[in-house]
Structure formats: C-alpha cells, structure tokens
C-alpha cells in the first residue's frame, strides 16, 4: 500500500497536486491511501510514501514539519515532490532558500540514480523555496541553474524533487512506485 | 475564499467555474479579448458573448482587450486581476488550464506577483473524462471553431454530446480531445449555474474544412 500525503491547505488544490499523482499510482496497478499533512500518520503501515506539492502561495505545511519526524526512523521509500522535497530537506536539517521558479527548465542529472536515468530532461517547476546547497545528509542528484532540483537522503531510499514530475516526467513517479 | 474565474465562455472555463462554485465565493468573471485567433493565451471566437453568459450567471464581468503578443496578454491579465482584487477583494483565481504549461506558468506567475492564489481544478485531467463530466452535468456546449485535420466545418454548431465524445476518443492521437491547443473551440449555451440559457438568433460560418469559425452575430437569454 502506498501512502500519498497532501500538503494542500486548501483542499481544492488537491485536484491539481494530489489527484494527478494518485492517477499515476493507480495506473501502475498499486493501491493507495491519501492523508493530509497535519494528520497523525502511522508511516510504518505503508511500504512507500509520496509527499505531494501544493499551490505556490501555500506554505502552511512548513508549520507541520514535525509531523514528518517519524520518517527519520522509517524503513520504506519516500518521494517528496516540491513541498515534499522541502519537508525532507528541513527534516534533515538543510536550509531552504528563496528561489522563485515557475515554468519549464532543463534539469541536469549529476549522479546516477534509479529515478532519473537520463542525463538531461525538461521539467515543470512551481516553487518559491529550494536548496542551493546540501549538508552531508543529502546527496545531490540533479541541478538546474545552481538549484539542487533532486536529492537522495544518504542511507535511505528517500528522494526529493523540486519540480513536478507529474506534469512532464510521470516516468519518475512510475519508477518510484516500482522500486 | 473569494475568487474570480478566468472565463472564455467555453467548456473548460465553465467547468472550472462549476467546480469552484461549490467551494468558493465566486466574486466575478474575467475575460480577455484577444485581437485574433493567433492568441496563444486566451480564446478568441465569440468572446463578446461572454457578457450574455455573465448575465445568465448573475456575476460581474471584468473585460480587458489585448493584442495577440505575449507581452500584451500578460499586461492585460495583470491589469484585469489587479482590478478584480481592488474592486471585489478576491484572494484567488480559478482557471480552466488542463495541460498547457505555457498557459499555466503564465497564470501562476501573474497570480504570484499580485499576491493571489491560483487554482487549476482541471489540471492534468484526462480530456475524455472531462468531456464526459460536461455531459454528466448537462452542460450544453457547441463547437464554434475548428482548426486542423480532421475537424471539418460541419462540426460547427453541433453540441458536445456522446457522439462527439466518441469521435474525439477515436482521433485522440491526432487531436487533443480537449482542444486546448486551439484545435477546436466551444461556447456554452447552458449549464447548471446559468439562471437563463443563451439562444442563438443569427450566426455565420466562415472558413473551410479544418479552419472555420462559427460567428454568433445575435443572441439573447431565454428562460430555462
């Protein structure tokens, strides 16, 4: 069972940021549960977790990073998308910087990884915060104009992508659920 | 939350409005009038008729004219949204964008710059399922423009119905079934939120197969 976590303060945004993810999960033949970011969650009930993005003006999830602390001891696999990337970055004590990025940009993969086998690809971004450097708990996987747009948590199968793979790179989500 | 809806009068903006209506206070509609069908950001045919649709919805309408180039489109959008924020106190904007990252990223940017939320309830939806949803909710939409093979001009004026959905299912690998790339345009004559329906009194079809427009010359609102 895959857990899909909504980070949307306004549930109407879930049509835009959660439903496209659950449709990909479903099309790969997996079942899923949806939980919201401020709920108490027993992560261990799930083999994989996807933390979805939210609207550009929505930052409420940043007040609930502590809800995700049990992930530090979670043995399954996690994919953080945009807001989910930010939550993972903060959970592992990284500092987000203000980087407004809206639209399509070319991503350069700098470290071989199971989610992004290509060297370069175009991705759709919609964020205000991202990382430009990481501490030693994260490994950079891909960059875009000085921004770290994909990382892996060292020693874990936790991935963060700053862009929205559901828009132009749904194969990234497909590969994650098949890991 | 108070929102405005970017409204072209076609099926997608009407469906986005229909969804927004259930959860938000819809304060007004915004329509931009591009000069021609060359415009990438906003729909062109019959946009003058949105005034009738706004009346049918009993909603205020903010309009802004623009040229076809991107800079003019964005300036007009910015001005219209700023006006809506000042006049109606909107917090957010609802659009009917489905898959166009060109449209979506520009709407997102303008909304961000104005401090507004941006909602795209149809985003990445399967286009055939959207057409079916229109039928499920008794939307009455007609084709008003065709622009590309194999869309012939005899489609103009016809309703978006079961047959049309089946047709687009068959040709979905050639034509985007939602027409979001400008392959076709629609005009909504009636939908559940309309207090009255639009009746076309006079129209003209211009153009040839694969590139034709139904121009509505006169229309009125009638009781439902």
């Amino acid at each position: 069972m895959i857990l899909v976590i909504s980070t949307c303060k306004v549930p109407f945004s879930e049509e835009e940021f959660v439903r496209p993810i659950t449709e990909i999960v479903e099309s790969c033949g997996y079942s899923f549960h949806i939980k919201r970011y401020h709920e108490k969650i027993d992560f261990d009930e799930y083999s994989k977790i996807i933390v979805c993005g939210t609207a550009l003006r929505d930052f409420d999830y940043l007040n609930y990073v502590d809800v995700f602390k049990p992930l530090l001891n979670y043995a399954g696999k996690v994919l953080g998308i945009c807001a989910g990337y930010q939550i993972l970055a903060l959970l592992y004590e990284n500092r987000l910087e203000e980087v407004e990025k809206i639209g399509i940009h070319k991503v350069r993969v700098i470290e071989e990884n199971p989610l992004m086998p290509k060297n370069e690809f175009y991705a759709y971004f919609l964020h205000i915060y991202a990382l430009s450097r990481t501490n030693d708990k994260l490994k950079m996987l891909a960059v875009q104009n000085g921004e770290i747009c994909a990382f892996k948590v060292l020693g874990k199968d936790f991935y963060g992508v700053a862009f929205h793979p559901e828009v132009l790179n749904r194969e990234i989500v497909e590969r994650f659920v098949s890991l | 939350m108070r929102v405005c809806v970017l409204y072209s009068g076609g099926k997608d903006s009407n469906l986005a409005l229909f969804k927004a209506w259930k959860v938000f206070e819809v304060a007004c509609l915004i329509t931009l009038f591009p000069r021609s069908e060359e415009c990438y950001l906003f729909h062109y045919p019959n946009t003058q008729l949105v005034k009738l649709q706004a009346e049918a919805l009993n909603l205020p309408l903010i309009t802004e004219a623009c040229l076809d180039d991107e800079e003019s489109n964005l300036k007009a959008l910015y001005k219209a949204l700023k006006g809506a924020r000042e006049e109606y106190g909107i917090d957010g904007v609802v659009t009917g964008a489905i898959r166009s990252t060109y449209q979506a990223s520009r709407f997102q940017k303008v909304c961000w710059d104005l401090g507004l939320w941006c909602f795209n309830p149809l985003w990445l939806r399967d286009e055939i399922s959207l057409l079916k949803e229109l039928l499920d909710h008794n939307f009455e939409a007609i084709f008003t423009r065709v622009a590309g093979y194999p869309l012939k001009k005899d489609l103009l004026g016809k309703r978006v119905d079961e047959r049309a959905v089946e047709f687009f299912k068959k040709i979905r690998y050639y034509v985007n079934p939602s027409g979001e790339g400008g392959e076709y345009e629609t005009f909504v004559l009636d939908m559940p939120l309309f207090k009255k329906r639009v009746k076309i009194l006079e129209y003209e079809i211009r153009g040839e197969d694969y590139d034709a427009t139904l121009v509505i010359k006169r229309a009125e609102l009638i009781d439902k």
Side-chain angles (χ1 to χ4, degrees):
Chain A
M1 178 71 74
I2 294 176
L3 173 64
V4 177
I5 301 179
S6 161
T7 59
C8 301
K9 181 183 181 189
V10 181
F12 197 61
S13 293
E14 291 175 358
E15 277 296 299
E16 194 174 340
F17 296 100
V18 179
R19 187 194 33 75
I21 299 297
T22 58
E23 282 182 0
I24 297 173
V25 171
E26 210 165 23
S27 73
C28 292
Y30 294 91
S31 50
F32 61 87
H33 277 166
I34 300 175
K35 298 263 187 187
R36 303 196 66 215
Y37 64 103
H38 44 65
E39 287 181 55
K40 192 172 178 336
I41 301 169
D42 184 357
F43 297 108
D44 292 327
E45 284 182 18
Y46 305 93
S47 59
K48 292 190 183 86
I49 296 167
I50 301 176
V51 188
C52 302
T54 185
L56 202 54
R57 193 147 286 284
D58 186 357
F59 303 109
D60 196 46
Y61 58 92
L62 292 174
N63 299 317
Y64 292 85
V65 175
D66 281 356
V67 169
F68 294 85
K69 270 193 173 160
L71 281 182
L72 295 170
N73 298 313
Y74 175 66
K77 299 173 172 69
V78 180
L79 174 63
I81 296 170
C82 196
Y85 155 111
Q86 294 170 27
I87 288 168
L88 283 179
L90 291 171
L91 210 53
Y92 285 91
E93 297 164 344
N94 286 267
R95 193 161 154 252
L96 296 172
E97 288 172 43
E98 202 170 317
V99 186
E100 180 187 314
K101 195 167 282 180
I102 301 170
I104 296 175
H105 296 275
K106 190 189 268 185
V107 169
R108 188 162 57 86
V109 178
I110 57 168
E111 182 74 34
E112 203 173 305
N113 71 87
L115 299 187
M116 291 161 273
K118 285 183 200 163
N119 291 333
E120 285 185 335
F121 58 90
Y122 285 94
Y124 183 70
F125 290 77
L126 187 65
H127 67 63
I128 300 299
Y129 294 114
L131 297 172
S132 63
R133 66 187 72 179
T134 63
N135 62 16
D136 58 4
K137 292 170 184 171
L138 307 183
K139 184 194 252 185
M140 285 193 278
L141 300 181
V143 292
Q144 199 289 316
N145 194 29
E147 172 192 322
I148 296 163
C149 53
F151 63 75
K152 180 182 186 296
V153 176
L154 281 168
K156 296 267 196 186
D157 281 326
F158 292 6
Y159 298 89
V161 289
F163 52 89
H164 286 266
E166 70 275 21
V167 180
L168 297 177
N169 320 96
R170 55 180 284 139
E171 67 282 359
I172 290 177
V173 182
E174 290 169 352
R175 287 188 195 111
F176 174 75
V177 297
S178 307
L179 276 180
Chain B
M1 190 177 286
R2 281 168 75 82
V3 298
C4 71
V5 176
L6 292 187
Y7 191 78
S8 68
K11 60 180 177 48
D12 300 330
S13 58
N14 271 283
L15 187 56
L17 164 66
F18 182 66
K19 288 172 180 289
W21 193 277
K22 294 175 184 169
V23 290
F24 296 136
E25 182 188 347
V26 179
C28 62
L29 306 173
I30 288 182
T31 302
L32 281 90
F33 295 131
R35 196 175 55 178
S36 77
E37 68 267 29
E38 299 303 317
C39 181
Y40 288 108
L41 205 53
F42 306 111
H43 292 200
Y44 169 68
N46 301 315
T47 33
Q48 292 293 338
L49 289 156
V50 295
K51 287 172 186 164
L52 269 186
Q53 292 171 309
E55 200 182 324
L57 287 158
N58 202 17
L59 280 174
L61 174 69
I62 293 177
T63 61
E64 197 66 50
C66 59
L67 303 176
D68 299 329
D69 63 290
E70 183 176 329
E71 195 185 341
S72 171
N73 291 175
L74 293 177
K75 263 188 193 166
L77 179 62
Y78 188 92
K79 191 176 168 195
L81 290 178
K82 194 162 177 261
R85 194 185 61 183
E86 282 160 13
E87 200 173 345
Y88 298 102
I90 58 161
D91 311 294
V93 179
V94 177
T95 90
I98 301 171
R99 213 166 281 276
S100 165
T101 51
Y102 177 86
Q103 270 189 335
S105 57
R106 280 150 186 81
F107 293 156
Q108 292 279 4
K109 171 72 178 145
V110 173
C111 288
W112 174 256
D113 289 345
L114 283 166
L116 296 169
W117 288 69
C118 184
F119 299 102
N120 302 285
L122 313 186
W123 187 236
L124 303 180
R125 279 282 305 271
D126 172 76
E127 292 87 349
I128 295 292
S129 78
L130 285 175
L131 291 174
K132 285 181 177 167
E133 195 171 340
L134 293 172
L135 304 187
D136 290 345
H137 293 292
N138 299 315
F139 279 58
E140 189 182 343
I142 58 165
F143 293 93
T144 52
R145 174 154 174 78
V146 290
Y149 182 84
L151 304 178
K152 294 188 173 179
K153 76 174 178 183
D154 63 5
L155 196 61
L156 297 177
K158 287 193 175 148
R159 282 185 64 162
V160 179
D161 58 10
E162 293 285 358
R163 278 182 64 183
V165 175
E166 288 306 310
F167 173 62
F168 282 106
K169 247 192 210 174
K170 281 183 195 154
I171 62 166
R172 71 178 305 163
Y173 297 107
Y174 311 100
V175 176
N176 179 336
S178 72
E180 203 186 23
E183 298 89 343
Y184 70 87
E185 306 279 1
T186 60
F187 181 80
V188 171
L189 298 172
D190 192 17
M191 62 94 124
L193 301 177
F194 280 18
K195 312 274 187 293
K196 293 187 169 193
R197 66 188 302 280
V198 179
K199 183 182 178 189
I200 297 172
L201 300 171
E202 189 185 347
Y203 68 92
E204 183 187 325
I205 289 178
R206 296 177 189 159
E208 300 303 325
D209 283 345
Y210 322 129
D211 183 11
T213 304
L214 182 148
V215 179
I216 300 170
K217 296 179 121 179
R218 270 192 322 122
E220 65 176 5
L221 292 180
I222 58 167
D223 290 335
K224 290 171 81 166

